[in-house]
Amino acid sequence: MPNPTKATLLIVDDDEAVRRGLFWALDGQYRVLEATSRAEAMQLLERERIDVVLSDLRLPPHVDDMSEGLAIIEAARRARPAVPVVVITGSDAKHAALAFSRSHWTPTR
């Protein structure tokens, strides 16, 4: 049964080693959910009360571009505008992610 006092963190990454490492690092402080794709992330965003999203940008089936990761960011913003979305990426996509976040970020205060 979920602990209602812990914030729920959603990790979205197709790399199992990344997901497992983040899970083990964060599980004590947060209720951690995992998704390997945009479809899984969308289901969890609709079904669960997510407090923080950690998402890779390059996800199947479009690992050559950032469309899947960017769609997750947009879906999280629509579902819960105040939810922090942290981009985790090991690729050169970080510049595009920063540009996207600057153009879509709105203060929550």
Side-chain angles (χ1 to χ4, degrees), residues 33-84:
L33 303 176
E34 298 176 57
T36 61
S37 67
R38 175 171 64 140
E40 288 179 16
M42 300 299 210
Q43 289 174 354
L44 289 168
L45 284 166
E46 291 173 11
R47 192 175 68 222
E48 301 283 342
R49 185 180 197 288
I50 305 296
D51 298 296
V52 179
V53 177
L54 299 177
S55 182
D56 191 5
L57 288 177
R58 297 183 188 266
L59 296 162
H62 304 291
V63 296
D64 293 332
D65 64 46
M66 299 177 297
S67 61
E68 297 296 301
L70 295 176
I72 290 168
I73 294 169
E74 289 175 355
R77 291 284 179 216
R78 278 193 308 272
R80 298 205 43 225
V83 70

Side-chain angles (χ1 to χ4, degrees), residues 2 11 60 66 75 103:
I11 299 168
M66 299 177 297
S103 67

